[in-house]
């Protein structure tokens, strides 16, 4: 079976919502993406942690058969992030960031990782994403995520990255900020001109949109009554999407559509608990059941 | 074939966008709804205009085979509304409202209208909507639209109306305001408890949601690059939805889903030009073609 290479951040997160507060949970874009993707394919993870990284979190990765040969353990403390959500959980405020060992991270791919055919560059600086990419010998499909910070501070790097990837994933406000277009349709078309064959615009509670040449697909969001922690939903989405593509090893439009729906399903599970809590009790049957619910809630010409 | 009874406002609209400005165009919730519905069924319209109502607008209704026996012509000027859209066309500012003949409107149904089986109460004061409803002898399915103004000023009337209708249509911000719930899922569930069997939440560029007992359907919005005038989109949506149901005379979930998609299709056409400009050149073939595009952009398990 194909493997999926994932790089991104690994963090100890402290998250506060109006109802709960948790300290030093496993977080980071690579953690969420890798665990979500592992439901579809074996994952090779590239990242860095500090000497204080808890053994239980390492064990958690291993439980999901995530290969850790690419996980560097450096002297010093692990990257830490803390944030707070407002009462409606739509707005997030970053309370503190400590890059720690991440500051000097220069990802090195183990020899065995270089031929991984599918690659997901989870959200980190575009320069680091490119550095990983340069070490992959013959990638078949490359998905990259990004965020407002990189659009604002390292735009040139991001533009260069776009010429090297197949699919960019970003959220709606970032899409508008990046292109200065209010219409998401025009914005996505602009991004396609900059390089990638596909763009996925994540719209949170409104689902997501997949754009490509001759391809437009609108996926709904799963109607959750109670969201406990939105952290990592986008990472789970993109990780699962890339994992689904790697598993099926096909890139036709129908497979891409289904990958987006499976991504949405994993994201919808992830927000049901803090950190990776929900994904730890998840089974393939749960995922399949939710996929069927996505079908039921968006299809209107059923036989 | 079943007929559809529509009541609502008839207005002369003056609309300003950053690009264009037009005076005294045909507008009002009943106008948009009736013309959109007329693509599916013959419409009986109940409304009021002033003695200044242009003959060409009357002719426009007639072109769409809208029955005007319920159209009262009163002494005085027609209801006028003027509004302005910001550059992204998402935010509307009302510049002026002159109720004129509408102020003393007390809808009277012609005898021949009383047995119309399907009813759409387009956006007007809930008290007027109820007054129309009381004159219908044996309605089979009643859809009602409303707006923030009535939620804020005539909440008791609106709550009473809810106990008499089958389906309420309103937009997302109104849904939240009405129920004081941020989650649209919780909000819709609350409204269902207040009476109607179905609630449709319109989300503009994000499509719409249909809720009922054991029913959740998420319809995408058509990806328009250029919107010329959003006025009346919601009225066209609900009018076409009710028209589709009346035409097929079935109320199962599959028919309801399709009705929502046809409503979305009509709304997407309407915003392509000012007033009813686009609907005037529309053909059933255009509608069918767009319906197929809705299918293409939201289906992911096609045979």
């Amino acid at each position: 079976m194909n493997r999926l290479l994932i790089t991104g951040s690994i963090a100890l997160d402290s998250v506060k919502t109006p109802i709960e507060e948790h300290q030093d949970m496993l977080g980071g874009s690579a953690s969420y993406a890798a665990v979500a993707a592992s439901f579809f394919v074996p994952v090779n993870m590239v990242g860095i942690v500090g000497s204080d990284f808890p053994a239980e979190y390492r064990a958690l990765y291993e439980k999901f058969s995530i290969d850790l040969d690419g996980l560097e353990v450096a002297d010093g403390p692990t990257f830490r992030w803390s944030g707070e959500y407002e009462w409606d959980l739509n707005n997030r405020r970053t309370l503190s960031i400590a890059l720690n060992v991440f500051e000097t991270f220069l990802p090195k791919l183990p020899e065995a990782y270089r031929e991984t055919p599918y690659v997901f560059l989870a959200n980190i600086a575009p320069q680091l994403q490119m550095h990983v990419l340069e070490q992959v010998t013959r990638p078949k499909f490359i998905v990259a995520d990004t965020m407002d910070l990189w659009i604002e501070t390292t735009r040139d790097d991001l533009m260069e990255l776009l010429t090297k990837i197949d699919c960019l994933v970003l959220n709606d406000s970032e899409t508008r900020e990046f292109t200065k277009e209010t219409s998401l349709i025009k914005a996505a078309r602009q991004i396609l001109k900059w390089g990638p064959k596909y763009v996925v615009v994540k719209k949170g509670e409104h689902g997501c949109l997949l754009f490509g040449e001759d391809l437009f697909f609108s996926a709904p969001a799963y109607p959750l009554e109670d969201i406990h922690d939105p952290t990592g939903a986008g990472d789970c989405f993109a990780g699962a999407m890339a994992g689904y593509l790697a598993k099926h090893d096909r890139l036709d439009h129908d497979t891409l559509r289904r990958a987006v729906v499976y991504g949405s399903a994993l994201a919808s599970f992830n927000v049901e608990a803090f950190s990776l809590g929900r994904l730890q009790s998840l089974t393939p049957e749960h995922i399949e059941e939710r996929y069927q619910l996505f079908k039921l809630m968006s299809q209107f010409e059923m036989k």
Side-chain angles (χ1 to χ4, degrees), chain A residues 58-298:
Chain A
R58 208 182 165 92
L60 190 154
Y61 290 142
E62 283 164 348
K63 188 190 140 198
F64 287 97
S65 304
I66 296 167
D67 190 291
L68 300 180
D69 283 354
L71 182 65
E72 184 182 339
V73 183
D75 280 340
T78 302
F79 172 40
R80 272 171 175 77
W81 174 81
S82 90
E84 183 174 20
Y85 290 91
E86 289 172 23
W87 65 284
D88 70 354
L89 298 183
N90 280 326
N91 292 311
R92 178 164 84 181
R93 203 157 56 92
T94 290
L95 298 173
S96 70
I97 289 185
L99 287 178
N100 298 333
V101 296
F102 217 84
E103 213 156 350
T104 55
F105 180 43
L106 201 67
K108 249 170 301 185
L109 259 61
E111 198 55 42
Y113 282 21
R114 295 180 188 260
E115 299 200 357
T116 323
Y118 286 80
V119 180
F120 174 46
L121 308 168
N123 180 33
I124 42 170
Q127 221 183 353
L128 292 180
Q129 292 175 315
M130 271 187 290
H131 189 76
V132 166
L133 208 50
E134 281 158 13
Q135 300 170 63
V136 184
T137 50
R138 220 171 305 141
K140 198 163 170 178
F141 198 76
I142 304 156
V143 179
D145 197 352
T146 195
M147 73 185 293
D148 48 4
L149 177 66
W150 315 121
I151 292 170
E152 289 153 18
T153 62
T154 62
R155 190 182 172 95
D156 290 347
D157 291 347
L158 187 56
M159 291 300 284
E160 198 191 330
L161 177 75
L162 289 192
T163 66
K164 300 177 196 299
I165 62 170
D166 298 290
C167 178
L168 181 69
V169 177
L170 72 183
N171 75 30
D172 48 355
S173 66
E174 291 159 356
T175 305
R176 292 188 162 110
E177 182 181 354
F178 195 14
T179 59
K180 314 276 182 239
E181 290 279 2
T182 51
S183 154
L184 289 178
I185 321 297
K186 285 185 185 173
R189 198 156 295 175
Q190 181 58 63
I191 294 172
L192 291 176
K193 280 189 195 143
W194 289 336
K197 273 194 284 293
Y198 307 102
V199 176
V200 178
V201 178
K202 298 173 288 182
K203 303 191 296 172
E205 62 161 342
H206 300 299
C208 68
L209 306 174
L210 164 66
F211 297 87
E213 205 191 319
D214 298 323
L215 174 62
F216 175 75
F217 175 56
S218 173
Y222 187 77
L224 285 162
E225 266 191 70
D226 287 299
I227 293 175
H228 285 92
D229 175 12
T231 312
D235 308 311
C236 287
F237 167 83
M241 184 188 86
Y244 183 87
L245 293 173
K247 177 181 179 178
H248 293 274
D249 201 16
R250 284 167 50 181
L251 300 162
D252 59 284
H253 288 186
D254 279 357
T255 308
L256 282 161
R257 287 162 189 259
R258 282 192 287 268
V260 161
V261 176
Y262 276 100
S264 305
L266 266 289
S268 75
F269 282 117
N270 186 62
V271 302
E272 292 178 3
F274 277 76
S275 184
L276 288 150
R278 182 66 186 91
L279 265 50
Q280 285 183 74
S281 62
L282 200 65
T283 66
E285 291 70 33
H286 295 142
I287 296 173
E288 206 42 46
E289 194 187 337
R290 189 150 295 183
Y291 177 81
Q292 294 302 328
L293 288 173
F294 269 89
K295 219 163 115 175
L296 210 59
M297 73 201 209
S298 58

